[in-house]
């Protein structure tokens, strides 16, 4: 009689256990990696963005979104219509590939032969994600006198492509996409009407002359937007207070003789300075709303600051002892900014924040000279704006001095290795906890002495997850961190005195390798366990230094450049972009930083310390409550949790990239 197989052998880990996700499966398995899952608005935005890209390219004048009674949504445009012929290499109709392949679209080939010069991104996952997360999708393309219809269900083709000629005399063109979002992928199937209206209205604002319509079949309401006056009209309607000076409106775009930027790159903006009321701030990149801002907003801020600062210096308006900072000028600014960037790099797939470093120079370079000219042509208004900025600087400095007096007595002596900043304004001050003395030296030389302090740490910090609070100060590094930031260790239910906090941002800065990640984890453990109120209040941040530097040789009119990449994916994207620009990969010299100590002061400032170009992640609990986060960290950092860690590694080990 044959032996019965044991349960362990039936669940054996073998070649057949490895599963490769194909097509749109990854999206269905992990929808949160590709889109927002709180409601279906973002997957509909992908369809609206495609219609807007057609209008932006000059091929459409109308976009219509209809909310149907059966909970489906359709988006209709009068652009060129999606091509439906066979793809030369893929042996499938192009219209099918656009909706079923994660990296297929008309936005990859910029310049030569591509469908769009400027578009909302380079991920190419757009409408295929919409398709994957919908129970049904109907697509009709009107083009070349025909209508081509294709129906999908759950991301797969349900009814193959049917092409029919239009009725005689009918000259319809464009694309209509009707979507039935699948409720199981979203926390709620309800669309947030306020956000939807804002999205559609903003498209009309940014494309003067294009008509955008919202039709609701249930309520039988129709709303239409068309702004002939563009950004000024829109900002005027949304301002909460009267502008202190006339609105400052302008635009600037690179021409083909520009050495640094591609033809057509640039920005249009409208700025209003008000003395009271909440500020209205909206920014877009190639019509995509960037709700979390980004480098184009940093460029606007820098351009405004530099122009106002030079006006104040020219007319000797700054009182003695007052130091002007960018926020003093920017604090009362409301604006709408629309940037055009050729290959925009966004943070995350949902494109909330622009990360392209060059956008700071791009926007600032156009804003500054135009505002400088305007201020010097309207000196009275210039003086009024200077007065607003100086007043903001004086009240900021006054507040900083008050705090200093209150905490002056009985303060512990600051650690000798701390290189402090000059300012006492907690809102702007930052301290960098830097791994190693050599990196600390570069950081001290490269920092902004006014607002940035540096505390070098020697060796790895203690794992404090199971250390009693009253034993913490036996460790010198932890003692120095606590004294430097001005807050004592505390528990989640304590009410610590945060009035002694000396820095608004406490930034962990370690190498971009495995050891650096380990130091990050140990410091995050320290802050979560013993300084939880700092985490809760958003004071703890992690700086992301780059792993690679790419030296790109001069090409055509573009000068030689140094570009930094955070990881392997960014490195691949940079090399791809160079290849598109006609620079062979072997001509690009790639250097990998072994650590922060290898960077000189200027490189460290440019990549990691400069608020306009660095990447700084705030530490948040996201979708976990405190107890949930505590459970996860106990599993990862607890001494008696080896079995739980092993189970985690067995379950998720294949998702981890190992850097050896």
């Amino acid at each position: 009689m044959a032996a019965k197989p044991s349960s362990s052998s039936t669940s054996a880990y073998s070649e057949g256990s490895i599963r490769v996700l194909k097509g749109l499966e990854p999206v269905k398995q992990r929808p949160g990696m590709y889109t927002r899952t709180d409601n279906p608005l973002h997957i509909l935005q992908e369809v609206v963005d495609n219609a807007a890209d057609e209008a932006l390219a000059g091929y459409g004048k109308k976009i219509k979104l209809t909310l149907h009674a059966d909970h489906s949504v359709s988006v209709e445009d009068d652009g060129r219509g999606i091509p439906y012929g066979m793809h030369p290499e893929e042996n499938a109709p192009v219209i099918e590939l656009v909706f079923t392949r994660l990296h297929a679209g008309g936005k990859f080939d910029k310049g030569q032969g591509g469908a769009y010069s400027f578009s909302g991104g380079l991920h190419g996952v757009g409408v295929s994600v919409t398709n994957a997360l919908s129970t049904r999708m109907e697509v009709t393309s009107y083009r070349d006198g025909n209508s081509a219809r294709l129906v999908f269900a759950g991301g797969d083709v349900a009814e193959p492509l049917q092409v029919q000629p239009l009725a005689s005399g009918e000259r319809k063109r464009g694309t209509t996409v009707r979507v039935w979002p699948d409720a199981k992928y979203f926390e709620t199937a309800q669309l947030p009407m306020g956000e939807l209206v804002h999205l559609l209205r903003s498209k009309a604002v940014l494309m003067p002359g294009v008509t955008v319509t919202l039709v609701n079949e249930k309520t039988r309401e129709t709303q239409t937007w068309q702004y002939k006056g563009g950004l000024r009209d829109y900002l005027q309607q949304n301002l909460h207070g009267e502008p202190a000076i006339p609105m400052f409106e302008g635009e600037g775009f690179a021409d083909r003789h520009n050495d640094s930027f591609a033809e057509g790159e640039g920005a249009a903006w409208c700025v209003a300075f008000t003395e009271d009321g909440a500020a209205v701030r909206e920014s877009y990149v190639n019509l995509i709303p960037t709700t979390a801002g980004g480098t184009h907003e940093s460029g606007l801020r820098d351009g405004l600051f530099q122009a106002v600062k030079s006006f104040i210096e020219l007319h000797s308006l700054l009182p003695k002892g007052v130091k002007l900072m960018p926020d003093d000028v920017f604090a009362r600014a409301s604006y709408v900014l629309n940037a055009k960037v050729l290959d925009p790099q966004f943070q995350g797939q949902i494109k909330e924040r622009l990360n392209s470093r060059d956008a700071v120079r791009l926007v600032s370079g156009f804003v500054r000279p135009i505002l400088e000219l305007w201020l010097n042509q309207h000196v009275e208004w210039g003086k009024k704006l200077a007065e607003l900025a100086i007043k903001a600087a004086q009240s900021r400095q006054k507040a900083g001095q008050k705090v200093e007096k209150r905490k002056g007595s009985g303060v512990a002596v600051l650690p000798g290795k701390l290189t402090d900043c000059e300012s006492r304004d907690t809102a702007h001050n930052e301290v960098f906890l830097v791994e190693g003395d050599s990196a600390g030296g570069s950081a001290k030389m490269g920092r902004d002495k006014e607002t940035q302090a540096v505390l070098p740490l020697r060796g790895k910090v203690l794992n404090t997850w199971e250390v009693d609070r009253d034993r913490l100060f036996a460790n010198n590094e932890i003692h120095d961190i606590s004294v430097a930031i001005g807050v004592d260790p505390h528990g989640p239910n304590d009410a610590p005195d945060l009035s002694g906090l000396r820095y608004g941002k406490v930034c962990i800065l370690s190498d971009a390798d495995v050891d650096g990640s380990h130091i990050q984890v140990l410091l995050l453990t320290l802050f979560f366990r013993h300084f939880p109120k700092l985490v809760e209040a958003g004071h703890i941040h992690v700086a992301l230094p780059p792993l690679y530097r790419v030296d790109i040789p001069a090409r055509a009119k573009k000068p030689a450049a140094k570009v930094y990449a955070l990881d392997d994916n960014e490195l691949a994207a940079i090399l791809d972009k160079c290849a598109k620009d006609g620079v062979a990969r072997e001509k690009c010299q790639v250097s990998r930083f072994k650590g922060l100590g290898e960077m000189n002061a200027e490189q460290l400032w440019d990549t990691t310390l400069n608020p306009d170009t660095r990447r700084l992640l705030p530490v948040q609990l996201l979708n976990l409550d405190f107890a949930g986060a505590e459970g996860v960290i106990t599993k990862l950092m607890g001494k008696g949790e080896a079995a739980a860690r092993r189970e985690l590694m067995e379950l998720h080990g294949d998702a981890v990239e190992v850097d050896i």
Side-chain angles (χ1 to χ4, degrees), residues 82-86 93 95-96 136 138-143 145-152 157-166:
I82 300 172
Y84 49 78
M86 297 299 276
I95 193 169
E96 183 184 318
R136 180 180 173 87
E138 296 173 359
V139 184
T140 312
S141 171
Y142 301 95
R143 159 182 191 116
N146 294 323
S147 79
R149 185 172 183 270
L150 190 55
V151 179
F152 303 92
V157 177
E159 293 175 27
L161 183 68
Q162 286 184 317
V163 182
Q164 292 178 328
L166 294 170

Side-chain angles (χ1 to χ4, degrees), residues 22 99 106 212 239 286 307-308 322 393 400 407 413 469 488 507 538 578 597 628:
K22 293 198 176 81
F99 289 91
V212 182
L239 267 187
N286 304 352
V308 173
V322 175
K407 66 184 183 188
V413 178
R469 204 150 288 135
D488 288 335
C507 311
C578 290

Side-chain angles (χ1 to χ4, degrees), residues 91-335:
N91 199 24
V94 170
I95 193 169
E96 183 184 318
L97 296 175
V98 168
F99 289 91
T100 56
R101 296 282 176 91
L102 275 178
H103 298 282
K107 301 177 189 176
F108 291 94
D109 294 324
K110 309 284 176 162
Q112 300 86 25
Y116 303 96
S117 287
F118 292 91
S119 62
L122 257 183
H123 303 288
V125 298
V127 282
S128 49
V129 171
T130 312
N131 190 12
L133 305 181
S134 302
T135 53
R136 180 180 173 87
M137 182 189 256
E138 296 173 359
V139 184
T140 312
S141 171
Y142 301 95
R143 159 182 191 116
D144 306 328
N146 294 323
S147 79
R149 185 172 183 270
L150 190 55
V151 179
F152 303 92
D156 302 316
V157 177
E159 293 175 27
L161 183 68
Q162 286 184 317
V163 182
Q164 292 178 328
L166 294 170
S168 62
E170 197 177 351
R171 298 181 62 185
K172 189 166 184 179
R173 64 169 207 166
T175 306
T176 302
V177 179
R178 188 165 176 176
V179 181
W180 283 258
D182 192 337
K184 74 180 180 190
Y185 294 112
F186 304 99
E187 288 162 34
T188 171
Q190 290 296 315
L191 283 172
M193 288 306 291
E195 283 184 53
L196 176 63
V197 166
H198 180 259
L199 170 74
L200 295 176
R201 187 174 62 170
S202 67
K203 298 293 183 206
V205 172
L206 300 173
M207 298 186 292
V210 173
T211 305
V212 182
T213 307
L214 170 63
V215 177
N216 189 332
E217 284 186 354
K218 288 184 203 163
T219 60
R220 297 187 180 174
E221 287 178 309
T222 299
Q223 287 172 276
T224 301
W225 298 276
Q226 187 189 42
Y227 291 89
K228 294 219 166 86
L231 306 184
R232 177 183 281 268
D233 268 12
Y234 181 61
L235 188 57
Q236 186 79 56
Q237 288 179 26
N238 287 279
L239 267 187
H240 300 298
E242 269 304 303
I245 66 168
M247 284 192 188
F248 163 58
E249 188 179 20
E251 60 175 39
F253 298 97
D255 59 22
R256 58 199 168 86
H257 304 298
N258 192 297
D259 289 341
S260 305
F261 298 103
E263 185 178 357
E265 285 192 296
W269 62 84
C270 188
V271 183
F273 293 94
T274 53
E275 293 190 61
D276 44 38
V280 178
R281 293 180 174 179
E282 290 185 22
S283 63
Y284 304 83
V285 174
N286 304 352
L287 304 198
I288 301 284
T290 38
T291 48
T295 46
H296 54 324
E297 286 194 8
S298 298
L300 178 68
R301 169 182 142 129
D302 182 63
L304 293 176
F305 173 62
Q306 297 296 348
V308 173
K309 186 179 169 202
S310 79
F311 177 83
I312 286 174
E313 284 169 359
L314 181 70
H315 294 273
S316 307
L317 300 173
L318 197 65
K320 200 172 179 196
V322 175
K323 187 171 171 66
L324 206 62
M325 294 183 72
D327 269 359
D328 302 327
V329 176
F330 211 55
R332 299 301 329 145
S334 289
Y335 59 82

